[in-house]
Amino acid sequence: MLTEAIAKLLSASDLPEPPPQDPLPLLAAWFEQARASGKYDDHNALALATSTPDGAPSVRMVLAKMIEVERGAVAFYTNYDSRKGRELAANPRVAGVFHWPHAKRQARVEGVVERMSPAESDEYFHSRPLLSRVGACVSRQSTEIGSRAELVAGALSLAKAAAGGAPISRPAYWGGFRIMLTAVELWSGHEGRLHQRVRWSREPGGPWRHALLAP
Ligand SMILES: Cc1cc2nc3c(=O)[nH]c(=O)nc-3n(C[C@H](O)[C@H](O)[C@H](O)COP(=O)(O)O)c2cc1C
C-alpha cells in the first residue's frame, strides 16, 4: 500500500519535467489559475520582504497587479515615502512569496525593484476607484497620525472637493514598482512531504538556469 502510494507520486507531477527554460510563463499560469479558480479573495497577495539599512528583514503584504512575462517582472503599487519605499530607495533588493493553498502551491520570487515611469503610475492611478485615489492622497503611509478621525476627515474633505469638480491627481509619492526577477522558485505540495521544488535563477537580464531542490 505504502509502496503504491509512493509510486503514484511519480505520475502526480504538477511541474513540467524537464522544467522550462524560462519560469515566467509558468509563474503567470499559476497566478492566472489561482485567479480563475475563484477560491481567493486576493489571489495576487504577495508577502514582500525588504530590508532595513542595518540588514534586518521587514515584510508586509502587497497586491501584485501584473506578472510581466516578456519583461520578467512582477508589478505592485505603493507609497514611495512609506517604510518599504524608503527601504527600497536604500536597497532595491526584495524577496516575496505567493501562497495558493487550495492548489497546494507556493511561488517565491526575488529580484531588484525599479520604479515605473510617472506616465505608467498615472495610468494605473486613474484606473482605480475614486475612494482608493482619495485614500492614496490623504494617507502619508507609514507615518504616525494623531487619530483615525483625522485621517477620515482628510478623506471626507478631499471627496467633497472632488464632488465639486476638483481633480484628484496622483501624488508624486505614490506609484508603481517592478520587481525585475532574478530568481523564481515554484513549490507544489505532495503526499508524504515529497513535494516538488524547482528554482530558477539568473544574473539581472541574463539567461535562466534551473535546479530541482529537495523538498
Ligand atoms: C492583502 C493585503 C494587500 C495589500 N496590498 C497593498 C498594496 O498593494 N500596496 C500597499 O502599499 N500596501 C498594501 N497593503 C498594506 C501593506 O501590507 C502595509 O501595511 C503598507 O503598505 C505599509 O507598509 P510599510 O510600512 O512596510 O511600507 C496590503 C495589505 C494586505 C493585508
Side-chain angles (χ1 to χ4, degrees), residues 84-167:
K84 77 181 91 46
R86 284 181 281 111
E87 288 175 355
L88 288 171
N91 175 3
R93 297 177 68 181
V94 296
V97 63
F98 296 102
H99 182 209
W100 298 298
H102 296 285
K104 296 192 172 66
R105 285 172 172 175
Q106 165 181 262
R108 293 169 66 170
V109 292
E110 294 165 24
V112 177
V113 295
E114 291 178 0
R115 282 190 188 195
M116 286 185 197
S117 70
E120 287 175 297
S121 293
D122 277 342
E123 187 180 344
Y124 178 68
F125 182 80
H126 291 291
S127 75
R128 303 179 85 210
L130 180 60
L131 182 56
S132 304
R133 281 181 276 148
V134 165
C137 291
V138 300
S139 168
R140 293 300 177 116
Q141 194 176 56
S142 315
T143 60
E144 286 189 19
I145 57 171
S147 69
R148 180 156 168 74
E150 200 179 279
L151 183 72
V152 173
L156 198 57
S157 125
L158 190 58
K160 280 181 184 157

Side-chain angles (χ1 to χ4, degrees), residues 8 10 15 17 92 112 117 144 155 171 183 195 199 201:
K8 266 208 308 207
L10 268 182
L15 281 161
E17 290 178 42
V112 177
S117 70
E144 286 189 19
H195 314 304
R199 178 177 165 88
S201 57

Side-chain angles (χ1 to χ4, degrees), residues 7 12 36 46 52-53 70 117 124 143 185:
L46 173 72
T52 64
E70 294 300 318
S117 70
Y124 178 68
T143 60
E185 184 189 313

Side-chain angles (χ1 to χ4, degrees), residues 17-201:
E17 290 178 42
Q21 195 268 328
D22 177 350
L24 265 298
L26 197 50
L27 175 64
W30 279 23
F31 186 82
E32 169 53 21
Q33 286 160 17
R35 186 200 63 75
S37 74
K39 290 180 175 158
Y40 304 98
D41 287 339
D42 292 314
H43 74 283
N44 54 346
L46 173 72
L48 180 79
T50 52
S51 53
T52 64
D54 58 353
S58 157
V59 65
R60 81 291 291 151
M61 303 304 298
V62 295
L63 295 180
K65 291 294 171 180
M66 286 176 281
I67 307 282
E68 298 180 303
V69 172
E70 294 300 318
R71 223 182 221 126
V74 173
F76 67 94
Y77 295 84
T78 193
N79 183 311
Y80 293 139
D81 292 341
S82 64
R83 174 175 172 179
K84 77 181 91 46
R86 284 181 281 111
E87 288 175 355
L88 288 171
N91 175 3
R93 297 177 68 181
V94 296
V97 63
F98 296 102
H99 182 209
W100 298 298
H102 296 285
K104 296 192 172 66
R105 285 172 172 175
Q106 165 181 262
R108 293 169 66 170
V109 292
E110 294 165 24
V112 177
V113 295
E114 291 178 0
R115 282 190 188 195
M116 286 185 197
S117 70
E120 287 175 297
S121 293
D122 277 342
E123 187 180 344
Y124 178 68
F125 182 80
H126 291 291
S127 75
R128 303 179 85 210
L130 180 60
L131 182 56
S132 304
R133 281 181 276 148
V134 165
C137 291
V138 300
S139 168
R140 293 300 177 116
Q141 194 176 56
S142 315
T143 60
E144 286 189 19
I145 57 171
S147 69
R148 180 156 168 74
E150 200 179 279
L151 183 72
V152 173
L156 198 57
S157 125
L158 190 58
K160 280 181 184 157
I168 308 280
S169 17
R170 176 182 64 85
Y173 57 72
W174 192 96
F177 279 112
R178 284 199 168 88
I179 307 172
M180 304 303 293
L181 298 175
T182 54
V184 173
E185 184 189 313
L186 300 183
W187 178 102
S188 162
H190 293 280
E191 298 276 317
R193 304 204 173 272
L194 292 171
H195 314 304
Q196 288 179 286
R197 282 177 75 187
V198 183
R199 178 177 165 88
W200 289 258
S201 57

